[in-house]
Amino acid sequence: MTDPSEAASRTATTVAGAAVDQGRRTWIAITCGAGAIGGVATAVPFVSTFAPSERARAAGAPVQVDISGIPPGGKLTVEWRGKPVWIVRRTKEQVEALKKVDAEVADPNSERKTYPIQADAKNEWRSIKPEYLVVVGICSHLGCSPSDRFAPGAQPSLPDDWQGGFLCPCHGSTFDLAGRVFKNKPAPDNLEVPPHMYVSDTTLLIGEEKKA
Ligand code: FES
């Protein structure tokens, strides 16, 4: 079992690693394709012309993200308010598989109030567009960062009918590919969906939602 403090420090390292070369306002985001599960990650530079200053970001300024480089089944991690935010580009099969676990997750329709979800993402796939999941990558139990377990099927620590999702290494909580926590796990809530909106088809703004 992984020590929670150790896992938290690993998370911090990942988050810190997401922001480099601030002088040029250049962000390095970490992408992991579906084939990269198991530790191989590729660093891809993203130039954000509206990237806020370090102080503004710490205070919670919205973060603009170019999502055009995420391959189907891939994931991009960015930092917002000091937290890792995951953007997962789900395949059609992954979106369809969400239905299969509706009865196994604790809060299938995001009704719980701990992390209120914006109206345009309050649906089965918990996102504005079914293709893109946007969630804070912090477990709702004690704050570890869950690991990607995108491949379906039997594997260690997961059920034989696993459809793909995330596994928290600290105490074994599991989440589907909409960030919904499975029943009878230590984590009490789904992964948080941060306020977000699309500025264009390929640009996300994290930290702000569309006015109703
Ligand atoms: S921190 Fe305990 S299960 Fe995730």
Coordinates of all heavy atoms in Angstrom, one line a residue, residues 161-202:
D161 N -14.7 -7.3 -14.9 CA -15.5 -6.6 -15.9 C -15.2 -5.1 -16.0 O -16.0 -4.3 -16.4 CB -17.0 -6.8 -15.7 CG -17.4 -6.3 -14.3 OD1 -16.5 -5.9 -13.5 OD2 -18.6 -6.2 -14.1
W162 N -14.0 -4.8 -15.6 CA -13.5 -3.4 -15.6 C -13.7 -2.8 -16.9 O -13.3 -3.4 -18.0 CB -12.1 -3.4 -15.1 CG -11.5 -2.0 -15.0 CD1 -10.5 -1.5 -15.8 CD2 -11.8 -1.0 -14.1 NE1 -10.1 -0.2 -15.4 CE2 -10.9 0.1 -14.4 CE3 -12.7 -0.9 -13.0 CZ2 -11.0 1.3 -13.6 CZ3 -12.7 0.3 -12.3 CH2 -11.9 1.4 -12.6
Q163 N -14.3 -1.6 -17.0 CA -14.5 -0.9 -18.3 C -13.6 0.2 -18.6 O -13.7 0.9 -19.6 CB -16.0 -0.3 -18.3 CG -17.0 -1.3 -18.1 CD -17.2 -2.3 -19.2 OE1 -16.9 -1.9 -20.4 NE2 -17.5 -3.6 -19.0
G164 N -12.6 0.5 -17.7 CA -11.7 1.6 -17.8 C -12.0 2.7 -16.9 O -13.2 3.0 -16.6
G165 N -11.0 3.3 -16.3 CA -11.2 4.4 -15.4 C -9.9 4.7 -14.6 O -8.8 4.7 -15.2
F166 N -10.1 5.0 -13.3 CA -8.9 5.3 -12.5 C -8.9 4.5 -11.2 O -10.0 4.2 -10.7 CB -9.0 6.8 -12.1 CG -9.2 7.8 -13.3 CD1 -10.4 8.1 -13.7 CD2 -8.1 8.2 -14.0 CE1 -10.6 9.0 -14.8 CE2 -8.2 9.0 -15.1 CZ -9.5 9.4 -15.5
L167 N -7.7 4.2 -10.7 CA -7.6 3.5 -9.4 C -6.8 4.4 -8.5 O -5.6 4.8 -8.8 CB -6.9 2.2 -9.7 CG -6.4 1.4 -8.5 CD1 -7.5 0.9 -7.6 CD2 -5.5 0.2 -8.9
C168 N -7.3 4.6 -7.3 CA -6.5 5.4 -6.3 C -5.6 4.4 -5.6 O -6.1 3.4 -4.9 CB -7.4 6.1 -5.3 SG -6.4 7.2 -4.2
P169 N -4.3 4.6 -5.6 CA -3.4 3.6 -5.1 C -3.4 3.6 -3.5 O -2.9 2.6 -2.9 CB -2.0 4.0 -5.6 CG -2.2 5.5 -5.9 CD -3.6 5.7 -6.2
C170 N -3.9 4.6 -2.9 CA -3.8 4.8 -1.5 C -4.7 3.8 -0.7 O -4.2 3.1 0.2 CB -4.1 6.2 -1.0 SG -2.9 7.3 -1.7
H171 N -6.0 3.8 -1.0 CA -6.9 2.9 -0.3 C -7.8 2.1 -1.3 O -8.9 1.6 -0.8 CB -7.7 3.6 0.7 CG -6.8 4.5 1.6 ND1 -6.6 5.8 1.3 CD2 -6.0 4.2 2.6 CE1 -5.8 6.4 2.2 NE2 -5.4 5.4 3.0
G172 N -7.5 2.1 -2.5 CA -8.2 1.3 -3.5 C -9.6 1.8 -4.0 O -10.3 1.1 -4.6
S173 N -9.8 3.1 -3.9 CA -11.0 3.6 -4.5 C -10.9 3.6 -6.0 O -9.8 3.8 -6.6 CB -11.3 5.1 -4.1 OG -11.6 5.1 -2.7
T174 N -12.0 3.3 -6.7 CA -12.0 3.3 -8.2 C -13.0 4.2 -8.7 O -14.1 4.5 -8.1 CB -12.3 1.8 -8.7 OG1 -13.4 1.3 -7.9 CG2 -11.1 0.9 -8.5
F175 N -12.7 4.8 -9.9 CA -13.6 5.7 -10.6 C -13.7 5.3 -12.0 O -12.7 4.8 -12.6 CB -12.9 7.1 -10.5 CG -12.6 7.6 -9.1 CD1 -11.4 7.2 -8.4 CD2 -13.5 8.4 -8.4 CE1 -11.2 7.7 -7.1 CE2 -13.2 8.9 -7.1 CZ -12.1 8.5 -6.5
D176 N -14.9 5.6 -12.6 CA -15.0 5.3 -14.0 C -14.4 6.4 -14.9 O -13.9 7.4 -14.3 CB -16.5 4.9 -14.4 CG -17.4 6.2 -14.4 OD1 -16.9 7.3 -14.1 OD2 -18.6 6.0 -14.7
L177 N -14.6 6.3 -16.2 CA -14.0 7.3 -17.1 C -14.8 8.6 -17.1 O -14.6 9.4 -18.0 CB -13.8 6.7 -18.5 CG -12.4 6.0 -18.6 CD1 -12.3 5.3 -19.9 CD2 -11.3 7.0 -18.4
A178 N -15.8 8.7 -16.2 CA -16.5 10.0 -16.0 C -16.1 10.6 -14.6 O -16.7 11.5 -14.2 CB -18.0 9.9 -16.1
G179 N -15.2 9.9 -14.0 CA -14.7 10.3 -12.6 C -15.8 10.0 -11.6 O -15.7 10.5 -10.4
R180 N -16.7 9.0 -11.8 CA -17.7 8.6 -10.8 C -17.1 7.5 -10.0 O -16.6 6.5 -10.5 CB -19.0 8.2 -11.5 CG -19.6 9.2 -12.4 CD -20.9 8.8 -13.1 NE -20.6 7.6 -14.0 CZ -21.6 7.0 -14.7 NH1 -22.8 7.4 -14.6 NH2 -21.3 6.0 -15.4
V181 N -17.3 7.7 -8.7 CA -16.7 6.8 -7.7 C -17.6 5.5 -7.7 O -18.8 5.6 -7.7 CB -16.5 7.4 -6.3 CG1 -17.8 7.7 -5.6 CG2 -15.6 6.4 -5.5
F182 N -17.0 4.4 -7.6 CA -17.7 3.1 -7.4 C -18.2 3.0 -6.0 O -17.6 3.5 -5.1 CB -16.9 1.9 -7.8 CG -16.8 1.8 -9.4 CD1 -15.9 2.5 -10.1 CD2 -17.7 0.9 -10.0 CE1 -15.8 2.4 -11.5 CE2 -17.6 0.8 -11.4 CZ -16.7 1.6 -12.1
K183 N -19.3 2.2 -5.9 CA -20.0 2.0 -4.5 C -19.0 1.3 -3.6 O -18.2 0.5 -4.1 CB -21.2 1.2 -4.7 CG -22.4 2.0 -5.4 CD -23.6 1.0 -5.6 CE -24.7 1.8 -6.2 NZ -25.8 0.8 -6.6
N184 N -19.2 1.5 -2.3 CA -18.5 0.8 -1.3 C -17.0 0.9 -1.3 O -16.2 0.0 -1.1 CB -18.9 -0.7 -1.3 CG -20.4 -0.9 -1.2 OD1 -21.0 -0.3 -0.4 ND2 -20.9 -1.8 -2.1
K185 N -16.6 2.1 -1.6 CA -15.1 2.5 -1.7 C -14.9 3.5 -0.6 O -15.8 4.3 -0.2 CB -14.7 2.9 -3.1 CG -14.9 1.9 -4.2 CD -13.9 0.8 -4.0 CE -14.1 -0.3 -5.1 NZ -13.2 -1.4 -4.9
P186 N -13.6 3.7 -0.2 CA -13.4 4.8 0.8 C -13.7 6.2 0.3 O -14.2 7.0 1.1 CB -11.9 4.6 1.1 CG -11.5 3.3 0.6 CD -12.4 2.9 -0.5
A187 N -13.5 6.5 -0.9 CA -13.8 7.8 -1.4 C -15.3 8.1 -1.4 O -16.1 7.3 -2.0 CB -13.2 8.0 -2.8
P188 N -15.7 9.2 -0.8 CA -17.2 9.4 -0.6 C -17.8 10.1 -1.8 O -19.0 10.1 -2.0 CB -17.2 10.4 0.6 CG -15.9 11.1 0.5 CD -14.9 10.1 0.0
D189 N -17.0 10.7 -2.7 CA -17.6 11.5 -3.8 C -16.9 11.2 -5.1 O -15.7 10.8 -5.2 CB -17.5 13.0 -3.5 CG -18.4 13.4 -2.4 OD1 -19.7 13.3 -2.6 OD2 -18.0 13.7 -1.3
N190 N -17.6 11.6 -6.2 CA -17.0 11.6 -7.5 C -15.8 12.6 -7.6 O -15.7 13.5 -6.7 CB -18.0 12.1 -8.5 CG -19.2 11.1 -8.6 OD1 -19.0 9.9 -8.3 ND2 -20.3 11.6 -9.1
L191 N -15.0 12.5 -8.6 CA -13.9 13.5 -8.8 C -14.6 14.8 -9.1 O -15.6 14.8 -9.8 CB -13.0 13.0 -9.9 CG -12.2 11.7 -9.7 CD1 -11.3 11.4 -10.9 CD2 -11.3 11.8 -8.4
E192 N -14.0 15.9 -8.7 CA -14.5 17.2 -8.9 C -14.4 17.6 -10.4 O -13.3 17.4 -11.0 CB -13.8 18.2 -8.0 CG -14.2 19.6 -8.2 CD -13.3 20.6 -7.4 OE1 -12.3 20.2 -6.7 OE2 -13.6 21.8 -7.4
V193 N -15.5 18.2 -10.9 CA -15.4 18.8 -12.2 C -15.2 20.3 -12.0 O -16.0 20.9 -11.4 CB -16.7 18.5 -13.0 CG1 -16.7 19.3 -14.3 CG2 -16.9 17.1 -13.3
P194 N -14.0 20.8 -12.4 CA -13.8 22.3 -12.2 C -14.7 23.1 -13.1 O -15.1 22.6 -14.2 CB -12.3 22.4 -12.5 CG -12.1 21.4 -13.6 CD -13.0 20.2 -13.2
P195 N -14.9 24.4 -12.8 CA -15.6 25.2 -13.7 C -14.8 25.3 -15.0 O -13.6 25.4 -15.0 CB -15.6 26.6 -13.0 CG -15.2 26.3 -11.6 CD -14.5 25.1 -11.6
H196 N -15.5 25.1 -16.1 CA -14.8 25.2 -17.4 C -15.7 25.5 -18.5 O -16.9 25.3 -18.4 CB -14.0 23.9 -17.7 CG -14.8 22.7 -17.9 ND1 -15.5 22.0 -16.9 CD2 -15.1 22.1 -19.1 CE1 -16.1 21.0 -17.5 NE2 -15.9 21.0 -18.8
M197 N -15.2 26.0 -19.6 CA -16.0 26.3 -20.8 C -15.1 26.2 -22.0 O -13.8 26.2 -21.9 CB -16.6 27.6 -20.7 CG -15.6 28.8 -20.5 SD -16.4 30.4 -20.2 CE -16.7 30.9 -21.9
Y198 N -15.7 26.1 -23.2 CA -14.9 26.0 -24.4 C -14.9 27.4 -25.0 O -15.9 28.1 -25.2 CB -15.6 25.1 -25.5 CG -15.3 23.6 -25.1 CD1 -16.2 23.0 -24.2 CD2 -14.2 23.0 -25.6 CE1 -15.9 21.7 -23.8 CE2 -14.0 21.6 -25.2 CZ -14.8 21.0 -24.3 OH -14.6 19.7 -23.9
V199 N -13.7 27.9 -25.3 CA -13.5 29.2 -26.0 C -13.6 29.0 -27.5 O -14.0 29.8 -28.2 CB -12.1 29.8 -25.6 CG1 -11.9 31.1 -26.3 CG2 -12.0 30.0 -24.1
S200 N -13.1 27.8 -27.9 CA -13.2 27.4 -29.3 C -13.3 25.8 -29.3 O -13.2 25.2 -28.2 CB -12.1 27.9 -30.2 OG -10.9 27.1 -29.8
D201 N -13.4 25.2 -30.5 CA -13.4 23.7 -30.5 C -12.2 23.1 -29.8 O -12.3 22.0 -29.3 CB -13.5 23.3 -32.0 CG -14.9 23.3 -32.5 OD1 -15.8 23.6 -31.6 OD2 -15.1 23.1 -33.7
T202 N -11.1 23.8 -29.9 CA -9.8 23.2 -29.4 C -9.2 24.0 -28.2 O -8.1 23.7 -27.9 CB -8.8 23.1 -30.6 OG1 -8.6 24.5 -31.1 CG2 -9.2 22.2 -31.7

